[in-house]
Amino acid sequence: MNALSSFVKANDRTGGANVTENARRGAPLDVIAASLRRERARARLSLSEVAKQAGIAKSTLSQLESGTGNPSVETLWALSVALDVPFSRLVEPALPKVQVIRSNEGPTISSEHAEYVATLLASCPPNARRDVYRIAAEPGRARASDPHLPGTVEHVILSAGRALVGLADEPVELGPGDYVKYPGDLPHVFEALEAGTRAVLLSENV
């Protein structure tokens, strides 16, 4: 499974405990660390310069880049602004051609100030066009789709029922809350396995 597990918010008073919990849950701290090092090198900025622009301590940034820190969503947003990159570039790893995220998976970031958790499923590439559809499907004949325009990518989140979704020769079974991304410029299918199957489909063309 290539999807990332979630991680929890930073808390100065229990930082060590949070890091331990993150490690137990498979936190993507290594992804964040590598992304921060990569983007800081790209911007040709020192640790001190990025930390100052983000309004955080240099030691905090150093810990994050070494994979031992425990960032909150606010800290990562501040760093994304300081580095002039989308937030998603700091938390999203390189993805396979077909990506599946189950309902309890995905890189999640919590707020320091509210009971708020955001799960990043997919970031929008520059100059992309996206159309969003609500899908209602019933068991029977599968919906087989011919390839769309070159560069099309489809994203599906199943909200109810069960379905086989994805590339025609290798669809993935999804349950409520599951997510899949696949190339829409290859033959693909959507086959409901239970009555009342519902989903959200997002079609993206770069």
Side-chain angles (χ1 to χ4, degrees), residues 58-168:
K58 178 182 176 181
S59 59
T60 298
L61 179 55
S62 178
Q63 289 178 339
L64 294 180
E65 288 198 3
S66 67
T68 59
N70 191 24
S72 67
V73 66
E74 289 84 2
T75 296
L76 290 178
W77 272 113
L79 286 168
S80 71
V81 172
L83 292 167
D84 193 27
V85 296
F87 176 88
S88 59
R89 194 174 299 175
L90 299 183
V91 299
E92 192 173 56
L95 301 176
K97 184 168 67 173
V98 175
Q99 180 193 6
V100 179
I101 300 178
R102 300 299 181 183
S103 60
N104 62 341
E105 298 175 342
T108 61
I109 315 293
S110 299
S111 172
E112 288 182 320
H113 310 300
E115 291 298 321
Y116 176 92
V117 178
T119 300
L120 176 67
L121 297 180
S123 57
C124 186
N127 304 315
R129 171 186 171 182
R130 283 185 168 178
D131 298 321
V132 181
Y133 304 88
R134 184 174 58 215
I135 305 299
E138 301 296 333
R141 186 175 180 181
R143 161 63 175 155
S145 297
D146 292 330
H148 302 317
L149 292 173
T152 298
V153 175
E154 291 194 346
H155 309 254
V156 174
I157 303 173
L158 207 74
S159 54
R162 300 195 73 80
L164 288 172
V165 185
L167 298 180

